[in-house]
Amino acid sequence: MNNTVIRIIVASKNPVKISAAYQAFNKAFPDHTIHCEEMSAPSGVADQPMTEAETRLGSENRAQFCYQQKSHQQDANVMDENTVDYFVAMEGGVDQFEEGAVTFAYVTILAKTGKMVTNRSASLPLPHSIYTRLVSGEELGDVMDDLFGTVNIKQKGGAIGLFTNEAENRESIYTQALILCLAPFIHPEHF
C-alpha cells in the first residue's frame, strides 16, 4: 500500500460537502491516505445562485479563495508534510432550461500546481412552485425545510434526498461529480 498522504482543503464547513470531498478522493485514490480540512470561503455570488454561469463562478471562486489563502502560507516549491495538494469547492444552484427548472451543483478541483478542473453534477427537476419561491429570493434549503418539515436539510440529504426518498442525496451527487472531475488528475498523461 502506498502511504502517500493527499491533503485537500474543502471550501466549506458544511459536513455534506466535506464528506463528499473525502469520499471522492478516497475512491479515486484508494492507496493513499486522505487528509481533509475545511475552510470557509466566499462564493462571490448570491446565496442562491439562479443561473448555471453564476453557480459555476461560485464554485470556482471558492476554490480560488482557498488556494490564494494557502499560497500565502506555503511556498509551492517547498514540499513538506503540510503542503495542500488540492482545493475543492462545490456550489449548488438552479436554472430554468427548456425542460423546466432544475437544481444542480458545480464542483471545482484546483491543484497546488494551479491546474483547475470544473464539472457539473446531474440535475434534479424542480416543481414550478418551488422555482417561483427561489425567484422571489428564498434559498432552496429553506423552501424544502418549509415544505417537508425538515430542519437544515442543506446540511443533510438536500432537495435531492427528499425528492428521491434518499435513493440519492446531496453527498452522493457531489461525490460522483468530484470523482469525474478528478479524471485529469488520476490520468494526467491523457489530459
Side-chain angles (χ1 to χ4, degrees), residues 10-136:
V10 181
S12 179
K13 293 197 176 241
N14 183 326
V16 169
K17 293 180 179 183
I18 296 162
S19 181
Y22 176 82
Q23 294 301 325
F25 276 80
N26 198 43
K27 287 180 179 183
F29 300 102
D31 295 334
H32 293 71
T33 300
I34 308 303
H35 178 76
C36 192
E37 296 177 37
E38 59 191 51
M39 179 186 289
S40 289
S43 68
V45 299
D47 289 341
Q48 178 59 73
M50 293 298 294
T51 66
E52 189 172 22
E54 186 181 24
T55 307
R56 179 185 182 118
L57 180 62
S59 180
E60 291 175 347
N61 284 348
R62 288 182 193 275
Q64 289 171 340
F65 175 86
C66 294
Y67 178 80
Q68 291 166 354
Q69 293 299 305
K70 275 297 181 182
S71 67
H72 292 302
Q73 298 171 11
Q74 68 186 22
D75 182 343
N77 297 322
V78 177
M79 305 304 265
D80 67 23
E81 68 276 358
N82 295 315
T83 300
V84 175
D85 299 295
Y86 298 98
F87 303 86
V88 181
M90 292 150 262
E91 186 76 22
V94 299
D95 207 338
Q96 179 79 30
F97 296 102
E98 184 178 337
E99 64 275 9
V102 297
T103 184
F104 50 85
Y106 265 93
V107 300
T108 301
I109 299 174
L110 179 55
K112 65 184 172 192
T113 62
K115 179 180 177 90
M116 183 167 72
V117 179
T118 301
N119 188 29
R120 199 184 109 169
S121 74
S123 299
L124 172 74
L126 288 176
H128 181 71
S129 60
I130 290 177
Y131 183 71
T132 301
R133 289 180 66 176
L134 301 178
V135 169
S136 71

